[in-house]
Amino acid sequence: MTAAPGPYRPASYYNASISVDLAPAPPLEGDINADVCVVGGGVTGCSTALHLAERGYSVVLLEAGEIGYGASGRSGGQILPGLGTELEVIEKALGLERAREIWEMSRESVRLTEQLIKRHDIPCDLTWGYVNAAIKPRHVRDLHAFQESMARRYDYHSMTFLEGDALRERVVSDAYLAGLHDAEGGHLHPLNYTLGLALAAQKAGVVIHEHSAAITVERGQPARVTTAQGRVSADFIVVAANAYLGGLLPELSGRIMRAANYIVATEPLSDEQVAQVLPQNDALSDTNFVLDYYRLSADKRLIYGGEVSYDGREPRDLEARMDAKIAGLFPVLKGTKIDYRWGGDVAITVNRAPDFGRLDRNVLYAQGYSGHGMSLAGLAGQLLSDAIAGQAERFDVFAAMPHRRFPGGSWLRQPLLVLATNFYKLRDRL
């Protein structure tokens, strides 16, 4: 269950069920010119490239591995309104009106995901319905308060409170006391979605080069991105490497931390098992800080994610612990075969809010979705395209969010984050 960088996507259920074939995307060789060079072939990069090409820009996209190599091709596949942080964090930093704008744009990101899928006929199994499930009495109180606050302060009324039989109609488990069903949330096959965006970008004229890691970014006019065997000179550069940024831009890498998550896919379930797990085919996550999340695939596998690592090491007894969690949630699945196991990194920020901005007039970036980027990254691509075209007002709403570097420097920031996470893990158990 590796989360380590490499040139090829890891073995996973997603990689074994690809239904989108890209045009050839050979490594970059030689010096080329473009209006825009995009670094990173996840949802952010592919959406940026697609939207720019549709505006008439010439675009080159560089991907260090394969398209969808990172979180975009490995995630739990949930597409949800909202951010990886609480809206109160946004309110405190930017005020209620700006927080409302950001909330509405997060809703727009979900609608945009659906529009892109329909417009480009992407076969990624889009399905609607999401449950946020409470494990403890304090979580139930929190869900009530959240639903009331969202209706009163954000005019959001798409959530339904679930208890008892209404909850068990959505998730058949004794682990949960209550839940909020959000009709605007859903799930999809993340790798096929990302590949579908990349294919649409290619059809729109984007030149993609896989296995072409960016080694340096030179600012200027034009700006330049150098790889092992070539160089792109461009009027604009968009950096969309997220958790796999490495040391390419130290001023950005200090503002994010890599966090490894782990996912399994069971063998296909019978109709009887499905009826005793997620009978309405919703996606679900719980209300713990270190949360569990899961959904069903199109061929009725349980795609279950949980556990986290900030120190680059796989958690102890990971396989046994994940298997035990599934059996504990759903006794009907005890002994069910696990067909696939994989892991991957997401990028988190100190405040868990996404980090959008500029390093220069012509070097833009988006990163740090903190585990909540499957739909928001698509909107980020649209906003980056708008900003390059001179319509930066909505991009700047996100860019106004203040961010700071993780404390402790390069040596201590991971140990400090591990200590903080251990505190929240302990709190989850109380």
Side-chain angles (χ1 to χ4, degrees), residues 93-123:
L94 303 178
L96 178 59
E97 290 308 310
R98 286 300 194 200
R100 285 174 172 162
E101 287 184 54
I102 287 175
W103 165 254
E104 288 301 324
M105 281 194 279
S106 80
R107 295 178 68 190
E108 179 188 343
S109 77
V110 176
R111 297 192 296 270
L112 176 63
T113 302
E114 181 181 26
Q115 291 164 10
L116 290 170
I117 291 167
K118 289 181 177 179
R119 185 189 314 158
H120 301 290
D121 195 23
I122 302 175

Side-chain angles (χ1 to χ4, degrees), residues 319-334:
E319 292 189 12
R321 286 163 55 183
M322 293 185 76
D323 294 357
K325 278 190 173 183
I326 293 173
L329 287 169
F330 304 111
V332 69
L333 300 186
K334 187 175 182 179

Side-chain angles (χ1 to χ4, degrees), residues 84 235 272 281 286 331 383 415:
D235 296 330
E272 292 76 14
N281 201 14
D286 65 38
L383 298 182

